[in-house]
Amino acid sequence: SVSPLLVPKKEVKNIHLVLCTSDRGLCGGFNSNLIGAAEKFMAERAGQDVTVSFTCFGKKGRDFARKQKFERAADYLGVIGGRFGFTVASKAAQSLIFGFLSEKYDEVYVIYAEFVSMAKQKPVLQQILPIPPLAEAEAENAGAAEGGEGFLAEHICEPSADALLSVLLPRNVSIQIYKALLETSTSEQAARMMAMDNATKACNDMLDQLTLTYNKARQGAITKELMDIVGGAEALRG
């Protein structure tokens, strides 16, 4: 039998978004980019008569969902940018799986920041429920079968495949959440470092400009005083 976590719903009416943001600002456009990704996704689904709810990691995402009056299943504060373990992701995943199996959610997506480099953090939208199929692997296996090259191995599972999937699939959801939290936490630190570095450079440039302006004004004042002294001396001599 196929695991219910793999089966798409016939009609999608309730979408749940797991929005990962930071608790604090001062990190450039990091949070606004993630919130913008959520707004773009909802705009694309606006004409499909769907209801969107949120699970928020971070105060910025929580504040956005609260301001827009979206339903929030849970808020996790103090996670992104701090110390957290796998338990946080596992707890959130259990709640999401329960909501999906009880038909409260038809689809579940996570929005997080993928760490590309110190200068680039990319917002990512990823579906986690129902667990999407591995399209590339299926295409490779189909190509091998049609071309006569390779073979599809038949594995004997102990315990049964159903028993393994019942454990591995929920674990997979937890790992996807944990990955999103780690990526977002790393990206937030990088974005904050870049924002502070840019702010420091801007302050130094401003100080240099103000110092130059001050020196010009001081030099002008000194020149004016010297001209007054020379002019007075010439007047007395005349």
Side-chain angles (χ1 to χ4, degrees):
S1 62
V2 180
S3 170
L5 298 181
L6 297 172
V7 180
K9 299 295 178 67
K10 294 181 179 179
E11 190 175 15
V12 177
K13 290 296 183 181
N14 298 294
I15 296 178
H16 194 73
L17 289 180
V18 181
L19 180 58
C20 301
T21 59
S22 69
D23 289 328
R24 299 175 295 163
L26 300 178
C27 48
F30 177 76
N31 291 307
S32 60
N33 290 338
L34 290 167
I35 293 173
E39 291 177 327
K40 179 181 178 182
F41 174 77
M42 290 186 291
E44 293 173 350
R45 298 297 185 98
Q48 301 178 14
D49 190 25
V50 298
T51 302
V52 179
S53 56
F54 282 84
T55 290
C56 299
F57 284 90
K59 289 182 180 178
K60 297 299 182 180
R62 187 273 313 269
D63 293 345
F64 161 75
R66 183 166 60 183
K67 183 178 180 181
Q68 299 295 327
K69 297 182 180 180
F70 288 107
E71 179 185 351
R72 304 195 315 277
D75 297 325
Y76 298 89
L77 308 182
V79 177
I80 303 297
R83 292 187 176 183
F84 59 89
F86 188 74
T87 306
V88 177
S90 179
K91 178 182 176 181
Q94 288 176 7
S95 176
L96 296 172
I97 291 172
F98 177 78
F100 181 76
L101 295 179
S102 62
E103 298 186 352
K104 184 178 180 181
Y105 312 137
D106 297 324
E107 288 180 348
V108 180
Y109 294 84
V110 59
I111 296 177
Y112 66 96
E114 180 184 7
F115 178 80
V116 180
S117 67
M118 286 296 295
K120 183 178 181 181
Q121 300 83 38
K122 181 175 66 174
V124 173
L125 173 71
Q126 179 179 341
Q127 180 179 330
I128 55 176
L129 286 172
I131 298 174
L134 298 176
E136 295 181 0
E138 291 179 351
E140 290 177 0
N141 290 337
E146 292 176 1
E149 299 178 0
F151 63 94
L152 298 176
E154 182 179 353
H155 301 282
I156 299 176
C157 298
E158 183 66 31
S160 66
D162 291 342
L164 286 174
L165 287 177
S166 66
V167 176
L168 292 178
L169 292 180
R171 187 78 171 177
N172 175 268
V173 177
S174 300
I175 290 174
Q176 296 302 319
I177 297 292
Y178 190 52
K179 173 195 173 185
L181 296 178
L182 291 175
E183 290 273 358
T184 305
S185 186
T186 305
S187 298
E188 186 226 7
Q189 297 292 347
R192 178 164 286 110
M193 288 178 64
M194 289 298 296
M196 294 298 99
D197 185 55
N198 291 335
T200 301
K201 290 179 179 178
C203 287
N204 290 333
D205 292 341
M206 185 181 295
L207 284 174
D208 292 340
Q209 185 64 35
L210 289 174
T211 300
L212 181 61
T213 303
Y214 169 75
N215 288 337
K216 287 182 178 179
R218 184 169 62 87
Q219 186 66 39
I222 293 173
T223 302
K224 184 176 180 300
E225 290 179 0
L226 288 175
M227 293 297 292
D228 290 343
I229 293 172
V230 172
E234 289 294 332
L236 291 175
R237 183 181 301 175

